Amino acid sequence: MTTLLLYKEIKALNREEHRGLKLRTAQNCEFAAGTHLVPVAGLEFFQAARHYPLVFIGEGEKAMPIALLGLKDGHNGYVDGDHQWQANTYIPAFVRRYPFVMAQDDANNFTVCFDAAYGGWNEEEGRELFDAEGQNSEFLDEMIQFLQNFTTEMERTRLFVAKLNELELLSNRTLKLTHTSGETFVLSDFQAVDEEKFLKLSDDKVLELHKSGFLGWIYAHLMSLGNTNQLFDDYLKKKGDEATKH
């Protein structure tokens, strides 16, 4: 899965070329309405687990945790018809950083980039990226810090996945969801922590997970799987609304 979901025209931010660029604050989340999953960092698990199923996709070292936002491609169950994110719901950092993104080359050099296709860019109104002298604005510095923190946490998350693989805790899973109406949906092609294997870990392995901060992430992930039922309810409701319109 590409980590460039949401982005259509990525450009490197250039102090000279983009000196007059301003960002009109996003009024809605239309840019994420067609995204049914986004990567999440382990640090987000505790908040995200209250609202989303957190599962793993990909194999081996390429596996990564994602927040499942919808049951089918192109459907985000947390963005309503007015393109507003569901109230009182945690918004993943991957979404909050948009339209910015940090690019990394083979030499581990980082470049701040942005989605030039985003409709909020202009030179008349909004948050300035650079001041009159061409120096970073306070807003841009805050965004760069946010991007750096996210990059650091995603690296820590990769270590988490590596540890899960080392302990052979990730297993392919399939969930059959059944609604009170009788409708069913089979959720497949994802991985989750195998609870049986997890419970059989030796005390020293569990202590190691605890000291690394990973133990809580595992419990949050397992707890989050119950959110698939809410996602199914929402999916059927929106499906019914669309059928009514037609």
Side-chain angles (χ1 to χ4, degrees):
M1 181 190 71
T2 176
T3 54
L4 298 180
L5 289 164
L6 313 181
Y7 300 85
K8 297 180 175 64
E9 188 183 342
I10 293 178
K11 285 188 176 180
L13 187 61
N14 182 285
R15 193 178 302 277
E16 298 304 321
E17 183 182 352
H18 305 120
R19 189 161 174 169
L21 205 58
K22 296 180 180 179
L23 177 63
R24 193 182 302 114
T25 306
Q27 299 300 308
N28 59 52
C29 291
E30 184 177 4
F31 63 87
T35 301
H36 78 298
L37 54 83
V38 291
V40 285
L43 190 66
E44 300 181 86
F45 277 25
F46 299 114
Q47 291 171 288
R50 296 164 52 210
H51 307 287
Y52 313 99
L54 304 179
V55 298
F56 297 81
I57 61 172
E59 297 291 333
E61 64 181 23
K62 292 188 176 179
M64 70 166 67
I66 57 104
L68 197 58
L69 309 178
L71 293 183
K72 65 175 183 177
D73 193 15
H75 172 80
N76 185 338
Y78 295 87
V79 174
D80 64 22
D82 295 323
H83 298 129
Q84 299 298 317
W85 205 277
Q86 186 173 300
N88 303 314
T89 303
Y90 176 76
I91 302 177
F94 188 93
V95 176
R96 284 183 282 125
R97 69 177 182 169
Y98 186 85
F100 295 98
V101 63
M102 192 81 85
Q104 181 180 3
D105 63 20
D106 293 336
N108 287 325
N109 295 312
F110 293 93
T111 303
V112 177
C113 301
F114 65 99
D115 187 357
Y118 178 60
W121 297 116
N122 69 101
E123 295 194 355
E124 284 75 49
E125 61 175 356
R127 307 294 295 272
E128 293 182 342
L129 303 187
F130 303 101
D131 62 22
E133 285 73 45
Q135 300 303 307
N136 291 2
S137 67
E138 185 177 340
F139 166 65
L140 181 58
D141 278 338
E142 288 174 357
M143 183 52 65
I144 291 173
Q145 185 64 55
F146 181 83
L147 293 172
Q148 289 174 336
N149 290 344
F150 182 70
T151 300
T152 298
E153 288 305 325
M154 287 305 289
E155 179 57 39
R156 189 172 167 223
T157 304
R158 278 188 279 276
L159 297 177
F160 169 56
V161 172
K163 177 57 69 174
L164 293 180
N165 284 327
E166 178 192 321
L167 298 174
E168 299 181 344
L169 288 179
L170 289 178
S171 298
N172 292 323
R173 288 280 297 275
T174 297
L175 282 177
K176 183 177 181 181
L177 308 176
T178 304
H179 193 259
T180 51
S181 64
E183 288 209 49
T184 61
F185 188 95
V186 176
L187 187 62
S188 56
D189 299 323
F190 73 93
Q191 295 184 84
V193 168
D194 187 314
E195 291 185 65
E196 194 173 323
K197 290 181 179 178
F198 177 50
L199 291 172
K200 289 180 179 178
L201 286 178
S202 62
D203 290 351
D204 61 321
K205 295 295 184 186
V206 174
L207 182 60
E208 184 183 347
L209 286 171
H210 171 66
K211 288 192 171 181
S212 62
F214 296 159
L215 190 61
W217 295 2
I218 291 175
Y219 283 120
H221 150 65
L222 291 172
M223 183 188 78
S224 78
L225 298 179
N227 292 324
T228 51
N229 295 316
Q230 180 59 42
L231 206 57
F232 190 36
D233 284 346
D234 179 77
Y235 169 74
L236 292 177
K237 182 177 181 297
K238 291 196 173 182
K239 185 179 174 183
D241 291 344
E242 288 171 5
T244 304
K245 288 179 184 177
H246 297 300

